[in-house]
Amino acid sequence: MTVTTKRRPSPRAALSGIALALLCLLWLLPTVGLLVSSFRTADDVRSTGWWTVLPHRDWRTVATIEPGKDIDRNGIMEFAGVSGTFEELRAGLVAADGRRVIWLGNRRLGTVQVQELQWKSNLSLTVSNYENVLTGKQYEITNERGVTETLRGDDLSNAFLNSLAVTLPSVLLPLVVGAFAAYGFAWVRFPGRTALFALVVTLLVVPLQISLVPVLSDYVRIDLNGTYLAVWLAHAGFGLPLAIYLLYNYIASLPRELLEAAMVDGASHLTIFWRIVVPLSGPILASYAIFQFLWVWNDYLVALIFIGSQPNVQVLTMRLAEIVGSRGNDWHLLTAGAFVSMILPFAIFFALQRHFVRGLTAGSVKS
Amino acid sequence: MALGLAALLIWQGFIFLRDTDLPRLLVALLAIGGSGVLMTLVYVATDAVLHALPPAWTRRLQPLPFVLPGMVMVGYFVALPMVRTFIASLFSRDGSVFVGLANYVTLFTEPFMLVTFRNNLLWLIFGAGLTVAFGLLIAALADRSRHEKLVKSVIFMPMAISLVGAGIIWKFIYAVKDTSEPQIGLLNAIVVAFGGEPEAWIQLIQPWNNLFLIVIVVWLQTGYAMVLFSAAIKSVPSDLLEAARIDGASEARIFFSIVVPHIRPTLIAVTATVVIFTLKIFDIVLVMTGGQFGTDVIATQFYNQYFVNRNAGLGSAIAIVLLAAVVPVIVYNLRHFSRSEPL
C-alpha cells in the first residue's frame, strides 16, 4: 500500500516561495551591487547609485534659465509658469504639465532648470577600474564640477601573485603532514594514542590569537618574520588540528580488510599509506584542501601579523584593507579590487562546491 | 645517515627559504616540491632506522614517523602557546616584571574593555543568534522548494568571500552622501526614497551601530548553518513526518516537535561553531571602523594592545580571555569524543 502524500495547500507553498525569493534577493544584492559598480566609470560610481544602470524614470533637464540679477531672491519668484520661494524652488516644484522646475546651486549664483521625467539608464560600462587597480598606473577622472584629478591605481596584480605564493604551500603543507598523522592515529597502534588524539580534539577550537604573541617573538628572534616561510609554517600549524581531525575521521573508516590484506602481504605502513590510503582518500583531501585554501586566501590577521608593512610583499586582503583606510571613497577602485580578490575563491567554490560542503559537514563537531 | 641528510636538508631549506630573493612564486613552488621530497625522505629515513632496531623497538616506535611531525607542529604552534601566552599575561608590557593578575584586573575594570565586552555580547546574541535562525529558516523553506539547489548556492556563496571583501561590499551599501546629492549607498538610497534622512550608519548612535557590522557576518555565515541544517533535516525519517501529517499536525508543530528535536546534535554543533567564529571576529571591525565609534571587540582589542600599544602583557591576557570563552566548547568536544571513540 502506498501512502499518498497530501498536497500542501498552494497558498502556503506560494508564501514560502516568495519568502525564499526575497531572501535570495537580499543575499545576492550586495555582491551584485559590487560587481556592477566595478564596471562603471569612476564618475558614475561617485555620483549615482549602481542601480541606475537599470532603466528608470528620472528628471532630465530640458531648459536652463538664468534668474537674472534684478529678480528678488527673497520673495516669490516665477519661472516657466511655476512660482515659489527660493526654498520651495530649491526642493523642486512640479508644474501642471508634469515638468519640474528646480533651483540648482546657491541663492546668489544658482540657475533654474526645467526638467522632464524620462526613461533612462546610466549604462556606460568600462573595464578601466580593473586596469587601474591591477597595474597601478596613473589615470584621470573628471568630476561633476569639471575638475580633473590625476590619481594612481593600485598594484593588485602583484598582491594577487603574493596571495598565490602564500596560499599554495600553506595548503599543501598541513595536507601532507596532516594525512600522515591521521594515518598514524587511525592505523598504527601505540601507547598514548588516545591522549594525543584527545589533544588534537582539544586544540580544534583554540583561537589563533593565543599563538600570535609567542610565535611572533620566536620569529623575530630567529629573523624569520616578514618572510613567506614564516606565514606558511604559521598557517600550517594553525590548520593542522582540523586537518588531522578531518582526515582521521575519513581514514579510520576505510575498510579494515583492505589494509590488513596488504599488511599480511608484508607491505610497510609507508607503502600502505602511499599506495592504498592516499588514493582512497581523494575526496576528503580535496575537501580539506578547499577549506584551507579559502581560509588562507581570505585570511587577514595572520598575514597582517607575520608579513608586515612592505607593500610589495603584501597579500590581497592586506592591500584591500589598506585602500579602504587610505582611499575609502574611491569606490571604483575598491569595488574592482574586492572583486579581483574574489575571483579565485568563487571559481573554486562553484567548481568544487560538493567537496566543500562535504568538508563542512564532516568537520562539524558531531562525527 | 639518511636521517642526518634530512636534518641537513631541513636546516639548509630553512635558511634558503628565509633569505632567498628569488621570485616568490618560484620559491612557493620550490617549497611545495621541496617539502614533498623532504617529507618522504624523513619518513623513509626514520623507517629505515626503525627497521634496523630490535623488533620490539620497531613496533613501539612505528608511529613516530607518521605522528611526530604533525604533533611537533601542533605542539609548537597551538598547544605550547597556550602556556606561553598565559605566562606572558602575568608579566608587564615588555615581559620584564612579574605583575600577577594586574593585567586581568585592568581588563575587567577599564571602561574601554567593558565597551569591548558589551560589543562581543551583542555579536554573540545577534550575530550567532540570527545566523542560526536564518540558517534554520532557509534550510526548512528550501527543503520543500523545487529550486533547492539554486537557493542553497545563492545563500552559500558569501562563504567564499573574505571578511575584508565583505567589509568593502557592505561599506558601500552603508555609504552616505550629503543630502543635496543622490545617495550611492543602497541603504541610504532606500531610506531617502521613503522620505527619510541619510545616516552614517556605522558611526550612528552607539551601541546600535554594531548591529550594522553584525549583519555582515550573518550574511556571510548563514550559508554554513543552512548547509548543515539542511543535511540534518533530510535525515529526519519521512514516515515520522507522514504519520504526524496524517494525524493532522500543523507544519509549524511538526517542525518544532519533530524536526528540531531530531536535529538537536547538529543544532548544538553549528551553534558552537558559529559562536566561536563570532567571538573571534576581527577583520570586519578593523576594515569597517578600525574599532572606532565604540565598535571594538575582543580580537581587535587584542591587536590594539599587543601590536599597536606594544603591551604584550595586556594583549596576552586578552587572548587568554578569548581562550577561556571557548573552554565550554572544548569540554563538549572532548566529552563527545570520549563517548564516541572506541580507541
Side-chain angles (χ1 to χ4, degrees):
Chain A
M1 193 190 90
T2 52
V3 181
T4 48
T5 319
K6 210 168 67 176
R7 283 191 68 86
R8 291 281 93 222
S10 61
R12 167 174 286 154
L15 204 67
S16 79
I18 291 170
L20 268 184
L22 279 178
L23 283 165
C24 284
L25 191 69
L26 201 66
W27 249 257
L28 267 181
L29 266 186
T31 319
V32 170
L34 180 90
L35 185 59
V36 171
S37 298
S38 71
F39 287 108
R40 301 180 74 212
T41 63
D43 297 339
D44 279 356
V45 174
R46 283 180 168 193
S47 56
T48 54
W50 57 267
W51 50 91
T52 58
V53 300
L54 299 173
H56 61 288
R57 270 154 75 80
D58 202 357
W59 295 106
R60 178 167 289 179
T61 302
V62 289
T64 304
I65 306 170
E66 288 291 337
K69 281 194 166 62
D70 43 338
I71 199 160
D72 175 16
R73 287 158 205 246
N74 294 318
I76 306 270
M77 296 174 276
E78 192 191 329
F79 301 101
V82 180
S83 54
T85 62
F86 169 73
E87 284 74 22
E88 285 169 333
L89 283 164
R90 182 83 193 256
L93 285 171
V94 179
D97 59 356
R99 290 173 160 205
R100 182 171 78 163
V101 178
I102 190 165
W103 188 294
L104 289 186
N106 66 22
R107 196 183 292 253
R108 209 163 48 81
L109 295 172
T111 60
V112 173
Q113 313 225 318
V114 182
Q115 300 175 322
E116 272 176 2
L117 263 186
Q118 286 177 356
W119 281 98
K120 69 171 183 177
S121 72
N122 300 342
L123 201 63
S124 53
L125 301 181
T126 168
V127 291
S128 63
N129 297 332
Y130 286 92
E131 278 172 39
N132 295 333
V133 85
L134 282 172
T135 59
K137 68 171 189 186
Q138 307 239 338
Y139 64 98
E140 291 187 342
I141 62 172
T142 311
N143 68 12
E144 58 264 51
R145 288 184 297 277
V147 181
T148 302
E149 295 173 82
T150 303
L151 299 170
R152 181 175 271 291
D154 206 279
D155 196 7
L156 283 193
S157 52
N158 184 43
F160 191 94
L161 292 180
N162 290 342
S163 278
L164 212 55
V166 163
T167 307
L168 292 179
S170 299
V171 172
L172 201 83
L173 206 59
L175 193 68
V176 176
V177 176
F180 268 105
Y183 176 83
F185 280 119
W187 294 104
V188 190
R189 309 260 136 202
F190 60 94
R193 192 169 70 125
T194 315
L196 268 187
F197 196 73
L199 179 69
V200 173
V201 173
T202 305
L203 300 181
L204 273 177
V205 295
V206 168
L208 78 97
Q209 275 84 358
I210 281 287
S211 310
L212 296 179
V213 177
V215 170
L216 182 65
S217 70
D218 287 352
Y219 275 1
V220 170
R221 202 169 304 139
I222 59 171
D223 205 15
L224 189 61
N225 205 36
T227 66
Y228 284 167
L229 180 59
V231 189
W232 297 335
L233 289 175
H235 273 307
F238 302 148
L240 258 177
L242 181 68
I244 297 175
Y245 180 77
L246 207 61
L247 301 179
Y248 168 84
N249 281 342
Y250 190 92
I251 291 175
S253 68
L254 291 174
R256 170 168 289 275
E257 302 79 43
L258 210 63
L259 278 82
E260 271 167 0
M263 245 175 256
V264 169
D265 289 349
S268 71
H269 277 300
L270 197 69
T271 316
I272 296 174
F273 175 74
W274 278 120
R275 291 281 160 77
I276 300 176
V277 171
V278 170
L280 285 177
S281 307
I284 197 70
L285 293 175
S287 294
Y288 178 75
I290 298 165
F291 208 76
Q292 178 76 350
F293 176 88
L294 289 178
W295 168 256
V296 176
W297 184 270
N298 289 336
D299 158 79
Y300 177 48
L301 179 59
V302 175
L304 189 63
I305 303 298
F306 293 128
I307 290 183
S309 52
Q310 292 285 321
N312 59 326
V313 293
Q314 286 183 339
V315 294
L316 275 170
T317 46
M318 299 173 80
R319 288 302 317 153
L320 283 175
E322 204 147 297
I323 303 177
V324 172
S326 58
R327 289 180 283 173
N329 286 322
D330 288 354
W331 289 113
H332 53 289
L333 291 185
L334 280 172
T335 51
F339 204 73
V340 166
S341 79
M342 293 178 204
I343 289 170
L344 206 51
F346 272 159
I348 287 177
F349 175 77
F350 283 116
L352 303 168
Q353 195 177 357
R354 203 162 41 90
H355 291 280
F356 184 40
V357 169
R358 190 190 20 243
L360 281 182
T361 323
S364 77
V365 186
K366 81 182 184 77
S367 44
Chain B
M1 197 201 75
L3 211 57
L5 187 64
L8 186 75
L9 241 126
I10 292 179
W11 178 241
Q12 286 305 317
F14 174 81
I15 302 277
F16 167 74
L17 289 175
R18 186 185 64 180
D19 301 337
T20 182
D21 287 324
L22 287 173
R24 71 236 130 170
L25 266 183
L26 183 68
V27 177
L29 292 178
L30 270 179
I32 289 176
S35 62
V37 170
L38 187 76
M39 263 178 274
T40 315
L41 194 68
V42 170
Y43 290 104
V44 170
T46 1
D47 215 47
V49 171
L50 281 182
H51 282 284
L53 291 172
W57 281 95
T58 309
R59 278 167 46 91
R60 203 168 300 162
L61 295 179
Q62 224 171 14
L64 266 187
F66 286 99
V67 177
L68 199 64
M71 291 317 286
V72 166
M73 287 185 78
V74 169
Y76 173 71
F77 280 102
V78 195
L80 196 59
M82 291 200 283
V83 182
R84 295 176 66 187
T85 300
F86 178 69
I87 294 174
S89 76
L90 302 176
F91 283 83
S92 62
R93 57 186 308 134
D94 58 353
S96 58
V97 185
F98 181 80
V99 294
L101 295 177
N103 287 320
Y104 292 91
V105 173
T106 312
L107 208 77
F108 288 106
T109 51
E110 283 290 330
F112 69 87
M113 279 312 296
L114 297 182
V115 170
T116 301
F117 288 131
R118 178 206 65 193
N119 291 344
N120 264 92
L121 204 63
L122 286 175
W123 276 90
L124 281 192
I125 294 169
F126 291 102
L130 287 177
T131 302
V132 170
F134 269 116
L136 203 54
L137 174 73
I138 296 170
L141 288 179
D143 192 46
R144 341 181 82 230
S145 165
R146 272 176 299 133
H147 309 291
E148 183 178 356
K149 274 192 88 159
L150 181 71
V151 170
K152 280 167 135 181
S153 290
V154 167
I155 306 291
F156 198 51
M157 186 190 61
M159 287 282 292
I161 299 174
S162 68
L163 288 164
V164 174
I168 292 173
I169 291 178
W170 284 83
K171 220 174 171 173
F172 190 46
I173 290 180
Y174 297 146
V176 59
K177 292 202 107 183
D178 194 78
T179 37
S180 63
E181 292 173 68
Q183 295 297 324
I184 62 166
L186 185 59
L187 186 60
N188 274 321
I190 293 172
V191 168
V192 169
F194 283 100
E197 287 281 307
E199 288 274 11
W201 300 103
I202 47 180
Q203 285 96 334
L204 188 83
I205 329 135
Q206 296 163 20
W208 304 116
N209 54 348
N210 282 292
L211 292 186
F212 290 94
L213 307 189
I214 291 171
V215 164
I216 305 172
V217 166
V218 174
W219 175 74
L220 206 75
Q221 44 170 12
T222 291
Y224 165 75
M226 175 206 65
V227 162
L228 292 188
F229 288 147
S230 171
I233 287 176
K234 289 202 188 316
S235 76
V236 178
S238 55
D239 44 345
L240 212 62
L241 300 177
E242 286 302 336
R245 271 182 205 133
I246 289 167
D247 287 348
S250 72
E251 285 303 310
R253 178 90 200 277
I254 291 175
F255 184 73
F256 285 107
S257 310
I258 298 177
V259 176
V260 169
H262 191 89
I263 65 170
R264 215 178 77 102
T266 310
L267 207 57
I268 294 175
V270 168
T271 308
T273 311
V274 170
V275 160
I276 291 173
F277 185 81
T278 314
L279 206 64
K280 294 191 293 188
I281 206 72
F282 170 77
D283 315 26
I284 287 284
V285 177
L286 208 64
V287 169
M288 299 293 283
T289 62
Q292 287 174 289
F293 317 112
T295 55
D296 257 322
V297 287
I298 298 180
T300 56
Q301 207 54 265
F302 164 81
Y303 178 78
N304 286 343
Q305 294 308 327
Y306 183 56
F307 292 94
V308 182
N309 292 350
R310 302 261 161 218
N311 190 338
L314 194 55
S316 299
I318 296 174
I320 291 294
V321 169
L322 209 51
L323 177 64
V326 303
V327 162
V329 180
I330 294 180
V331 171
Y332 176 84
N333 277 356
L334 275 178
R335 267 213 203 124
H336 198 89
F337 164 72
S338 65
R339 240 182 292 141
S340 67
E341 219 44 51
L343 270 170

